[in-house]
Amino acid sequence: MTASRATDDASPTRCSQISALDEPLPGTATHVGAWLCLEHPAPWGRDIFDGTAFGAELTPLLKARVDDAGIRLMLIRRPGRAADDAGAGRAVYLARSHPDHVQCARLTVDTPRDLLDVDFAWAADPAAPLPGSTVTGPITLVCTHGRRDVCCAIDGRPIAAALAGAAHPTADHVWECSHTGGHRFAPSMIVLPTGYSYGRVSAGDAAAAVRGIAGGVLPSAGLRGRSCWDQPGQAAELAVRERLAGERIPLNALTVRSDGPDARIVAHQDGRRWRIATRTEPLAPRAASCGAAPKTVAAVRVEAVAPL
């Protein structure tokens, strides 16, 4: 989706509307390699670790576990579902996003406290198996965390509802989720286990992304980057994918490594390599979240793509 969505209002005021005027999407995904998603239909709070979701005793224990393991914890719930099903099992998804060991598994817990008993060794060890049953289709997370930012509620909930109500094989794997990073790119969506992140998506863009990833291809509309790379690495990968737009590039065909602060090497599984020169450009101050004080944000620009 283009910046035109932000200009529907004469004077854009929400953070996502202002961002869409001049802020590029590539290189804006949150840098995460390992994910833990917990079904939690009860209230989330503004921050999932502020005590609202897990209480005063469990919150610091759970935060320490995921922080030590290098895992990003997300809370998820079914689109439109408000009631807490007390006593019912809660779905848990575990995912690794690096293309060399991308994987997803599902298990069920009775309470959030049960997560303390889950082995997190898989997050740091690619050879370690993920607990639970293997999941092969994409898991779609749409940020609807309205207590964190109003844009996520206003823009995200209709997208989640549309995806969940569509007639496609992965509709049962669509979830509303807590803060993904970057409310100003709402509607924001992550597709696991690959970790590809999307922003400013229409319902059509979102559906096309999910269908494409399920079929092994990567639609580009609204693409922010793959979470396992840092921001310059995300922009570098997308620049190579754009260069090879006439080819069918498999989801996990490209890997990225650093070649200094402002350059990344992107390698294709067929042996081709490119050096991508990037630069970080400060943009005019703006609120990173609705109601927040304006601050300078940075955009990653690709300067050159050179075959090696």
Side-chain angles (χ1 to χ4, degrees):
M1 180 175 292
T2 66
S4 62
R5 189 175 67 86
T7 61
D8 291 342
D9 296 336
S11 300
T13 56
R14 291 194 284 117
C15 67
S16 61
Q17 297 172 324
I18 295 169
S19 171
L21 293 174
D22 66 345
E23 193 169 1
L25 287 173
T28 64
T30 302
H31 188 192
V32 179
W35 304 83
L36 171 65
C37 305
L38 169 68
E39 183 180 9
H40 192 77
W44 295 344
R46 186 181 186 280
D47 186 292
I48 65 170
F49 291 119
D50 66 6
T52 302
F54 305 121
E57 180 185 355
L58 179 59
T59 295
L61 299 176
L62 191 53
K63 187 177 189 306
R65 282 291 316 280
V66 298
D67 286 352
D68 289 346
I71 293 173
R72 175 66 178 264
L73 175 62
M74 306 287 292
L75 300 184
I76 59 175
R77 62 189 172 207
R78 293 295 186 186
R81 180 180 179 184
D84 187 0
D85 294 336
R90 299 167 184 251
V92 175
Y93 293 98
L94 316 172
R96 289 189 290 229
S97 293
H98 193 284
D100 288 344
H101 44 260
V102 63
Q103 191 176 0
C104 185
R106 185 186 190 279
L107 52 87
T108 303
V109 298
D110 292 325
T111 70
R113 181 172 289 274
D114 294 337
L115 291 179
L116 298 178
D117 298 324
V118 176
D119 185 0
F120 290 163
W122 55 272
D125 181 4
L130 271 64
S133 304
T134 298
V135 177
T136 56
I139 307 300
T140 305
L141 310 180
V142 181
C143 184
T144 61
H145 200 162
R147 290 195 180 185
R148 186 71 178 237
D149 192 277
V150 67
C151 288
C152 299
I154 293 174
D155 297 333
R157 286 174 183 161
I159 301 298
L163 288 174
H168 60 89
T170 63
D172 287 343
H173 299 296
V174 174
W175 299 84
E176 295 184 2
C177 74
S178 58
H179 177 54
T180 61
H183 347 271
R184 64 186 186 274
F185 306 114
S188 181
M189 178 178 80
I190 299 169
V191 185
L192 297 179
T194 60
Y196 280 112
S197 180
Y198 287 81
R200 302 179 192 146
V201 288
S202 66
D205 292 337
V210 175
R211 286 195 305 268
I213 290 174
V217 298
L218 188 66
S220 61
L223 193 54
R224 296 172 61 191
R226 188 167 190 160
S227 68
C228 61
W229 315 128
D230 63 8
Q231 278 68 38
Q234 294 167 19
E237 184 203 350
L238 299 191
V240 171
R241 286 188 176 273
E242 182 178 4
R243 184 185 182 97
L244 303 180
E247 303 181 24
R248 181 185 173 95
I249 306 299
L251 290 175
N252 299 310
L254 301 179
T255 55
V256 180
R257 67 174 177 84
S258 177
D259 193 39
D262 299 315
R264 298 294 181 269
I265 304 297
V266 178
H268 193 293
Q269 63 186 11
D270 65 9
R272 287 178 290 172
R273 297 189 307 147
W274 300 262
R275 186 180 189 274
I276 290 80
T278 68
R279 65 180 171 87
T280 301
E281 174 188 321
L283 300 179
R286 79 278 314 279
S289 181
C290 289
K295 66 178 182 179
T296 300
V297 299
V300 178
R301 307 286 191 186
V302 170
E303 298 279 83
V305 179
L308 297 176

